[in-house]
Amino acid sequence: MASQLIKLDFAPGFHRESTQYSEEGKWYDGNRVRFRQGKPENLRGYQKFSDTDINGIARDLLTWTDNNSRPYQAFGTNIQLYTVQNETFYDVTPIVSTVSVNGNFQTFTNSTLVKVSSNAHSVSVNDRILFTDVNVSLGGNININGTKTAVSIEGSNHFFVDVSVSAESASSNQGTTGSINFLLDTQQSDDIQGLGYGAGVYNAGVTVVGARGWNDAASESAITFLANQWTLDTWGEDLLALRRGDNLLHLDISLSVIPTRTVVVTASPSANTFLVSPNDRHVICYGTKSFAASAAAPIDNMVVRWSDQEDFTNWTPSINTTSGEVVLTEGAKLVGAIRSRNAINIWTDKAMYIQQFVGPPFIFSFTQVGSNCGLIGPHAAIDYDGVSYWMGQNNFFAYDGRVQTMPCTIRRKLFEDFNTTNQEKVYAGINSEFKEIIWLYPLANSSEPNAYVIYNIEERTWVYGKLFEDGIVTTFQDRNVYRTTLMTGRTSATDDLYVWSNEPEDVYTGDGKELTSFLESSEFDLDTGKQLMFIDKLIPDYTFDAGQQINFFVTIKDYPAGTKKEKGPFVIGQNTDKVNMRARGRAATVKVSGTNTGGWRWGGVRMSMQADGER
C-alpha cells in the first residue's frame, strides 16, 4: 500500500468530557493556547504594570476615566484600598476614627517597638494606624509619622508598632501634638471557622464524638468568619467602594487634586455587595440591613435596598425620596449583581432575578427568570454585549432573555479539580480583543485562583490553563481604559503581588522570561484501527514569529489501554519543510510544545503513513 497523507485537523477547543480515545478528532489538553478561526496559537505574555508591589490580595479591580480623560484604576485587598492614577499608587483606605496625641507614646532603649496608649482602641495585630503631625522625636530619634502596622496588643488600651529604627533612650508619656488615625481594619484572605469556648454547645457527659465539657474549647462549629471581599463601581468620575459587611465608601475625584482617602458614607447600610443602577442613578445594596432593623441587627442576606435617586447619602424611604427595599425569596443569600442591557441581573445561590427601573411608586420591579442557576461567587458573572455569562455550582450559564445552560466541553474536568471551599474567589472578566470570557478559579490544591477557563463567544470554544505556572491571578479587567487587559496576582508563592499588564501587543514573555505553551490531541486511529500503520514523515504548516520554534511529539500505541511509545521531540521552525520519523501503531496522539519569546500558530499539518500489517 502506498503512503498516504492525512491532515491533522482537530476540532477547536479542548474536549474533556470523556476519555482521550473517545474524544477522537478533537484537541484534548493544553496550556496558554487559544483558538482563532478554528486554529490554535499561543497566548501573548505579561509584564508588570508598575514596579510598585501591592499590599494584600486583591478581590476586585476597576478601571475608569475622570472628566478630564485621565485613566484610573482601583482595587481592594484584605489590607487596604488602592487607587492608581497614571502609574502612581495611592492608599485611599478610609480613616474610621481619630484621637489626638496626648502623651500616648512609650519607647524602649535599643528597641524598634513603640508602645501606643489609646483607650478601647479595638486594634488587632496587622491593623494599620496613620500617625500625623507628631512633632516630637520619640526616644530621642524616632519620627513616628506615617502609616505603621500593629505588631502586638497589650490589653484593650495599648498596642505596639514597629518603626524599624531603634530608640536611643527609654521614655514614656511622649507626644503633645498630632493625631492617631485608625484605618479600616485588616481582614483575613481566607474563610476562618469560628472556634474557641463560645463556638459550640457544652455536652459534658454525652458519649458522642466531639463531646466537650466546661473549659474545653470547641474544635469545630457552624460559625464562619468570611474572607475579605470588595465591590467597586463609579459614580460619575468618583469612586464608590464597599467591603463586604461594611458601609459604602466614597472617593471624590477632583480635576486638580490627587485623591487621598475615601470617606465612609455613614448613612448607608452595611451590605455584602452593591452597584450603581444604570440611567436612573440609584445606589443599590444586595444582602443588607432593612430600614427598620436595629443597629445591632445582622445583615439580611436576601434584602435588596436602594438609595434616593442621585443621592447615595439618603437611604430613608419616604414620600419625598425614591429610597426603598425589597426581600427576595428563592435562595439563602444574594450572591452578586451586574448591569446588563436596560436591567440589572441579580443572582442568589439558587436563582436569577431581573431588576428594572419602573419609576414611582415602586421604583424597581423584580422578576425571577431562572431556578437552579445560582452564582458561585460575587464576581463570577460578567455581561458582554447585553448577554450575561456566569459560573454556577457545577455548570456555566448564559442569559439573553432566557436562562440557558452553556454546552461546555471541559465542564467535568474543571469541576472535578475545583476547590469549592474557596469558590467565592472565582473572578470573571472580559478580553474584548479576542471576544473571550475568562473565569479565574482555584484548583483543588490552591486556596486562591491559580487557573483559568476561557470561553470564546464567537467560536464557542473552551480552553483552560494557568496564566502563572506557580502563582495566582485574582482579578481581571478588560482593555476599556488601558491598552492591555489588567490583572492582579503573583507569579509564584514567594513573589510579591503586582498589577500586571496582560497580553500587551507583541509581548510573548512573562515578566521578561520565556513562556511555555503546549497542545495535545485526543487519540486518533491510523487507518480504521484494524491495521498497524507506519508513520514516516510529517509536513508542518505553522506561522512563526522570527526566531521561534516548537517541539513536535507523536505518541503511538496498539490498543486503548496499551503501552504508549513517544517519538520526538522533533524541532520545527520557520524553515522546516518536513520531518522524517519512524513510528508504528494502531492509534496516535500528537503534541506540540514551545518555550518561546514570540508567537506560533498551527496551520494545516499533515502526516505521511502506510499500512504495516494486521498484527
Side-chain angles (χ1 to χ4, degrees):
M1 180 177 176
S3 296
Q4 57 180 316
L5 285 174
I6 63 168
K7 190 173 183 180
L8 301 179
D9 193 11
F10 302 106
F14 297 165
H15 299 261
R16 295 300 299 263
E17 291 300 279
S18 188
T19 66
Q20 192 166 7
Y21 181 77
S22 63
E23 295 285 8
E24 183 173 2
K26 304 169 185 176
W27 290 110
Y28 188 76
D29 197 11
N31 186 46
R32 294 197 60 85
V33 295
R34 65 163 47 90
F35 289 81
R36 285 200 295 167
Q37 296 180 336
K39 301 299 182 183
E41 63 185 27
N42 61 330
L43 302 183
R44 296 202 296 263
Y46 52 85
Q47 60 192 23
K48 291 186 180 75
F49 172 83
S50 166
D51 288 330
T52 302
D53 60 324
I54 62 178
N55 196 10
I57 296 177
R59 294 294 178 219
D60 197 14
L61 173 64
L62 177 71
T63 59
W64 78 102
T65 56
D66 66 14
N67 293 338
N68 203 34
S69 298
R70 292 183 298 188
Y72 283 85
Q73 52 181 289
F75 53 93
T77 77
N78 57 306
I79 297 174
Q80 65 189 83
L81 179 63
Y82 286 89
T83 58
V84 182
Q85 181 183 350
N86 296 320
E87 293 187 11
T88 304
F89 288 62
Y90 298 96
D91 181 357
V92 297
T93 310
I95 295 169
V96 294
S97 63
T98 299
V99 297
S100 298
V101 170
N102 184 17
N104 300 80
F105 304 111
Q106 181 178 354
T107 60
F108 310 89
T109 305
N110 297 326
S111 174
T112 62
L113 297 181
V114 175
K115 185 177 182 179
V116 184
S117 301
S118 179
N119 293 336
H121 54 71
S122 299
V123 171
S124 299
V125 172
N126 294 325
D127 283 353
R128 299 184 310 135
I129 303 93
L130 173 64
F131 300 95
T132 56
D133 300 324
V134 180
N135 63 355
V136 62
S137 294
L138 308 180
N141 64 315
I142 293 174
N143 178 3
I144 200 171
N145 287 317
T147 301
K148 305 293 187 291
T149 300
V151 295
S152 62
I153 309 299
E154 186 179 288
S156 60
N157 297 323
H158 307 283
F159 60 90
F160 292 83
V161 297
D162 192 330
V163 294
S164 302
V165 176
S166 297
E168 294 176 348
S169 60
S171 61
S172 60
N173 301 320
Q174 283 197 298
T176 57
T177 62
S179 298
I180 303 173
N181 306 284
F182 298 95
L183 301 179
L184 190 68
D185 60 300
T186 297
Q187 291 187 340
Q188 70 273 5
S189 59
D190 294 308
D191 291 352
I192 297 177
Q193 187 179 26
L195 303 175
Y197 296 99
V201 176
Y202 292 111
N203 49 10
V206 179
T207 57
V208 296
V209 176
R212 67 190 184 98
W214 182 84
N215 208 34
D216 288 337
S219 59
E220 59 183 21
S221 78
I223 301 170
T224 301
F225 299 102
L226 296 176
N228 173 265
Q229 191 62 258
W230 283 92
T231 311
L232 309 173
D233 206 349
T234 53
W235 179 265
E237 68 171 359
D238 292 351
L239 172 68
L240 292 178
L242 178 73
R243 191 177 70 171
R244 179 167 57 190
D246 290 343
N247 298 92
L248 199 67
L249 305 176
H250 174 229
L251 181 65
D252 188 356
I253 301 293
S254 169
L255 292 178
S256 58
V257 179
I258 293 175
T260 53
R261 298 272 171 195
T262 52
V263 176
V264 179
V265 183
T266 55
S268 67
S270 54
N272 290 331
T273 187
F274 86 103
L275 58 71
V276 177
S277 179
N279 306 322
D280 53 279
R281 301 251 302 175
H282 290 83
V283 176
I284 309 167
C285 288
Y286 300 91
T288 184
K289 291 184 179 182
S290 64
F291 175 71
S294 66
I299 284 174
D300 186 330
N301 288 322
M302 293 298 287
V303 169
V304 181
R305 188 173 168 193
W306 55 91
S307 71
D308 190 21
Q309 191 169 16
E310 296 284 355
D311 186 1
F312 57 78
T313 66
N314 188 343
W315 296 78
T316 304
S318 73
I319 60 173
N320 298 317
T321 74
T322 57
S323 302
E325 63 183 48
V326 71
V327 180
L328 301 183
T329 55
E330 183 163 350
K333 61 181 179 179
L334 289 160
V335 179
I338 61 173
R339 286 185 292 269
S340 188
R341 188 173 296 166
N342 299 319
I344 296 169
N345 296 342
I346 308 169
W347 289 270
T348 71
D349 55 336
K350 299 295 183 184
M352 179 182 178
Y353 289 81
I354 297 297
Q355 178 180 355
Q356 292 180 297
F357 178 69
V358 294
F362 300 108
I363 311 304
F364 290 103
S365 68
F366 295 83
T367 305
Q368 185 176 341
V369 294
S371 296
N372 300 315
C373 58
L375 187 64
I376 200 169
H379 296 296
I382 202 77
D383 193 84
Y384 192 108
D385 197 22
V387 179
S388 293
Y389 303 86
W390 70 97
M391 182 190 290
Q393 293 291 334
N394 56 13
N395 228 320
F396 291 88
F397 300 91
Y399 180 79
D400 61 358
R402 63 187 182 93
V403 174
Q404 304 174 59
T405 301
M406 298 172 65
C408 179
T409 59
I410 49 86
R411 185 191 68 85
R412 178 176 296 179
K413 175 177 171 55
L414 187 152
F415 287 105
E416 285 179 351
D417 194 15
F418 188 101
N419 185 345
T420 55
T421 301
N422 291 279
Q423 64 185 28
E424 69 166 24
K425 296 177 182 178
V426 172
Y427 199 95
I430 294 171
N431 189 340
S432 57
E433 179 184 3
F434 299 102
K435 296 179 174 58
E436 294 171 344
I437 309 296
I438 184 171
W439 285 271
L440 310 170
Y441 70 97
L443 293 171
N445 61 355
S446 177
S447 62
E448 295 293 339
N450 64 336
Y452 68 82
V453 56
I454 291 175
Y455 175 67
N456 185 299
I457 63 173
E458 282 197 343
E459 302 196 23
R460 299 186 179 182
T461 56
W462 296 85
V463 295
Y464 56 77
K466 289 185 174 183
L467 293 173
F468 296 153
E469 184 60 34
D470 300 312
I472 61 173
V473 180
T474 61
T475 66
F476 194 95
Q477 182 62 237
D478 195 22
R479 58 184 65 227
N480 51 354
V481 172
Y482 295 87
R483 296 183 64 182
T484 67
T485 56
L486 297 178
M487 55 190 188
T488 56
R490 60 181 175 227
T491 56
S492 72
T494 58
D495 195 21
D496 291 330
L497 292 140
Y498 294 94
V499 177
W500 299 88
S501 295
N502 183 51
E503 295 201 80
E505 291 186 10
D506 299 322
V507 173
Y508 285 86
T509 55
D511 200 23
K513 300 177 182 178
E514 294 179 330
L515 287 174
T516 298
S517 55
F518 85 91
L519 187 67
E520 184 177 0
S521 75
S522 61
E523 294 179 13
F524 56 95
D525 289 329
L526 303 175
D527 193 40
T528 62
K530 179 181 178 181
Q531 297 191 91
L532 291 171
M533 300 296 290
F534 179 71
I535 303 171
D536 62 359
K537 187 182 301 180
L538 178 77
I539 301 177
D541 179 34
Y542 288 88
T543 299
F544 290 103
D545 286 348
Q548 304 307 304
Q549 61 185 30
I550 56 97
N551 294 320
F552 191 96
F553 303 81
V554 177
T555 299
I556 295 292
K557 62 183 180 179
D558 294 342
Y559 302 99
T563 302
K564 294 181 179 180
K565 295 170 286 186
E566 184 178 79
K567 303 292 184 177
F570 305 105
V571 179
I572 298 173
Q574 283 179 308
N575 299 319
T576 304
D577 55 2
K578 67 176 181 176
V579 173
N580 294 318
M581 65 175 72
R582 296 177 64 87
R584 184 173 178 271
R586 284 190 173 88
T589 63
V590 298
K591 177 180 176 180
V592 295
S593 68
T595 301
N596 301 99
T597 59
W600 61 264
R601 179 174 170 81
W602 175 286
V605 179
R606 291 171 293 167
M607 183 180 289
S608 174
M609 62 183 183
Q610 60 183 319
D612 196 37
E614 297 184 6
R615 290 178 300 168

